[in-house]
Amino acid sequence: MKHCQRMAVEGPIAHRYDGEPDLTARAGDAGAHFSLVEENIAVGSHLQTIHQGWLDSPKHRANLLNPAVDHVGIAVVSSGGILFAVTDFSRAVDELTPAQVEANFATLLHSHGLKIDGNTTDARRYCMSEDKWHGFDPPSFLFRWQGPDVTQLPEQVLEQLAVERYEKASVGSCAPHDVKEAFTVYRVAVLLY
């Protein structure tokens, strides 16, 4: 809505005005948690004309019909008999605490027959670092992962579980590294023994 109101004040429409955050920052500031965000903007005299214009434009149509998005925010502002419209599309990501992220990964690892070590100290320490392992009881396999989807194990972990026999796992979550935009990203370390 804020961007739509700004379009009505500025006159010529744009996805971003001087001094305004980009789309990802605006969506994050509005409380959205997402792994994908796209935007359509338009100006016109009727909503049907605006919508048809989006359908007739390959890029805008692709945003409207993108099967990867599952949320939409729509704002329309009338100013001087002209309608300004903004539609933001996103793929929502649940907002999870580090403990919830760890629990999700632990459940996935347990479903592969692994006992889950409740002591997350070493895994969390490894998660936060960029270095090699610095601890006692070195695991047979170490893996750090960063991404938005904590509903499935990363491919590298699945490959290890397919070729090696592990008995125990430890999972630690920490703040993501080098995330420059407002995309929702989680960071996890998986230690296999």
Side-chain angles (χ1 to χ4, degrees):
M1 178 55 85
K2 287 180 184 178
H3 184 69
C4 195
Q5 290 167 335
R6 180 127 184 219
M7 286 193 330
V9 169
E10 296 280 345
I13 63 172
H15 286 283
R16 184 178 184 187
Y17 295 104
D18 288 341
E20 183 181 42
D22 68 8
L23 172 60
T24 59
R26 292 193 315 261
D29 290 346
H33 297 276
F34 52 89
S35 61
L36 167 72
V37 65
E38 303 169 330
E39 180 175 72
N40 286 353
I41 61 172
V43 61
S45 54
H46 301 290
L47 290 176
Q48 298 85 345
T49 306
I50 290 172
H51 184 69
Q52 191 61 51
W54 285 339
L55 287 174
D56 292 341
S57 162
K59 183 177 178 185
H60 294 99
R61 183 182 183 88
N63 287 347
L64 284 168
L65 301 177
N66 185 348
V69 301
D70 56 12
H71 282 69
V72 62
I74 302 168
V76 178
V77 171
S78 177
S79 178
I82 302 292
L83 298 175
F84 295 84
V86 175
T87 305
D88 292 337
F89 307 91
S90 71
R91 173 113 186 131
V93 173
D94 290 334
E95 182 180 11
L96 301 174
T97 66
Q100 290 170 316
V101 172
E102 291 168 357
N104 281 11
F105 266 74
T107 299
L108 294 167
L109 290 163
H110 183 71
S111 72
H112 285 270
L114 296 170
K115 179 183 174 204
I116 305 303
D117 185 349
N119 183 350
T120 61
T121 303
D122 287 341
R124 287 179 179 172
R125 187 177 301 126
Y126 182 68
C127 182
M128 289 185 280
S129 77
E130 290 292 339
D131 298 329
K132 295 180 180 178
W133 175 256
H134 297 293
F136 306 107
D137 191 20
S140 301
F141 177 74
L142 299 151
F143 185 73
R144 275 187 292 258
W145 169 88
Q146 193 162 290
D149 186 3
V150 296
T151 63
Q152 56 188 351
L153 291 172
E155 191 61 37
Q156 295 90 328
V157 174
L158 291 172
E159 289 170 3
Q160 277 297 310
L161 295 174
V163 298
E164 295 289 333
R165 177 71 181 136
Y166 298 99
E167 295 178 8
K168 181 174 78 169
S170 180
V171 179
S173 181
C174 62
H177 290 194
D178 299 323
V179 178
K180 295 178 177 69
E181 296 178 338
F183 293 98
T184 302
V185 175
Y186 300 106
R187 185 173 172 93
V188 179
V190 174
L191 314 180
L192 300 178
Y193 300 89

